[in-house]
Amino acid sequence: SQQGEEDPQALSIQEGENATMNCSYKTSINNLQWYRQNSGRGLVHLILIRSNEREKHSGRLRVTLDTSKKSSSLLITASRAADTASYFCAPWENAGNMLTFGGGTRLMVKP
Amino acid sequence: GAGVSQSPSNKVTEKGKDVELRCDPISGHTALYWYRQSLGQGLEFLIYFQGNSAPDKSGLPSDRFSAERTGGSVSTLTIQRTQQEDSAVYLCASSLGTAGLTWYFGPGTRLTVT
C-alpha cells in the first residue's frame, strides 16, 4: 500500500475563492480517492477517480488525475467557511488491500 | 445501521489501565479497518479484517494492542496497560470489500491517557 503526499500542508483563503490541493503518489494505482476530515474526527469520502479517468466533477469539487505524472488535484470552487477541514488523498494500488493516508492539507476558509 | 458507529466517543483513562473501543460497521460490509490519529498528524494504520480471513495486524504498534471482530460484524480494539503515547483519536472504517471501494469512517473515539 502506498501513501499519497498532499501539497500544500496548509492553505488559507477567503470565502468565495477557489482552493487547489495537490497529491502525488509513487506506483500504479487502480483509483484515487479524496476524503475530508472536520475537527480531527471521522473522514468523509468526497470523490473517487479511476485510473482510466482524467477528470471528475461533483458539485463544487473537481478532481483531476494524471497517471503519467502520478499526481492528482482537488479543486474546490467558490469556497465557503464550511469547507474548512483537512483534505486527504488516498491512492489505491492495483494489488492493494487498504487505503493509506498522508498528512493531508489543512484548508482554512475565512468568512 | 445508517453509518459506522463507534463507542465511546471520548474516553479518559489512567496510565496502566486497559481500555476497549468498539466499532459497529455498516451492515454487510466485509472489510473493517482501525486507524489512529495523533493530534495534527495523518492516519496510522493499525489492523484490518476482511471476511473470514486472518486479520492483518501488521500495523499494531505493540503487543499491548489487540483487536477482534465477532461474527464478521462488530469489532473491539483493546489496549492493555495504556501509556500516555496511546492518546489519540481511534478511527474505524468499513467497506464492502477491499477492491478499492469507498470507505466509510466512524466518528472516532478520542482516547486520553492521563
Side-chain angles (χ1 to χ4, degrees):
Chain A
S1 301
Q2 65 174 312
Q3 180 176 333
E5 294 292 336
E6 296 89 353
D7 173 69
Q9 290 186 341
L11 180 61
S12 181
I13 59 174
Q14 293 294 135
E15 205 164 30
E17 294 179 340
N18 295 342
T20 299
M21 289 157 270
N22 302 296
C23 169
S24 59
Y25 57 92
K26 293 185 172 64
T27 63
S28 297
I29 60 170
N30 176 281
N31 66 63
L32 187 141
Q33 304 181 32
W34 284 90
Y35 287 79
R36 183 187 72 215
Q37 183 182 39
N38 292 85
S39 304
R41 287 295 189 159
L43 278 69
V44 174
H45 177 260
L46 294 176
I47 197 165
L48 181 154
I49 186 165
R50 302 190 187 283
S51 61
N52 60 353
E53 297 176 310
R54 292 296 167 259
E55 187 170 311
K56 202 163 184 179
H57 297 253
S58 176
R60 293 183 297 111
L61 306 180
R62 181 173 79 98
V63 168
T64 63
L65 179 65
D66 187 334
T67 52
S68 66
K69 295 181 180 178
K70 294 185 171 52
S71 67
S72 175
S73 68
L74 171 66
L75 168 68
I76 304 174
T77 60
S79 63
R80 305 167 182 168
D83 294 329
T84 295
S86 290
Y87 292 82
F88 296 86
C89 71
W92 189 284
E93 282 185 355
N94 286 328
N97 54 25
M98 74 178 77
L99 292 174
T100 56
F101 299 86
T105 291
R106 293 184 300 282
L107 173 66
M108 174 170 288
V109 182
K110 300 176 184 175
Chain B
V4 179
S5 61
Q6 292 186 246
S7 61
S9 57
N10 287 284
K11 176 71 176 179
V12 180
T13 189
E14 293 180 352
K15 178 181 171 181
K17 301 281 190 183
D18 297 351
V19 294
E20 281 191 356
L21 312 179
R22 177 187 169 106
C23 171
D24 281 273
I26 293 174
S27 178
H29 280 193
T30 59
L32 185 149
Y33 305 81
W34 282 98
Y35 287 81
R36 74 175 176 181
Q37 185 178 34
S38 300
L39 187 64
Q41 301 298 311
L43 276 72
E44 176 188 3
F45 164 74
L46 296 178
I47 186 171
Y48 97 91
F49 300 87
Q50 170 54 36
N52 296 321
S53 301
D56 180 344
K57 303 179 182 180
S58 59
L60 295 179
S62 78
D63 58 8
R64 296 186 295 105
F65 288 72
S66 63
E68 62 177 24
R69 189 178 185 192
T70 54
S73 181
V74 172
S75 178
T76 302
L77 177 69
T78 301
I79 309 173
Q80 296 178 311
R81 305 181 301 282
T82 52
Q83 304 294 313
Q84 287 186 329
E85 60 262 29
D86 299 334
S87 296
V89 175
Y90 288 80
L91 294 164
C92 172
S94 73
S95 173
L96 276 173
T98 58
L101 302 173
T102 299
W103 288 19
Y104 298 85
F105 281 81
T109 293
R110 186 179 300 279
L111 175 66
T112 303
V113 182
T114 61

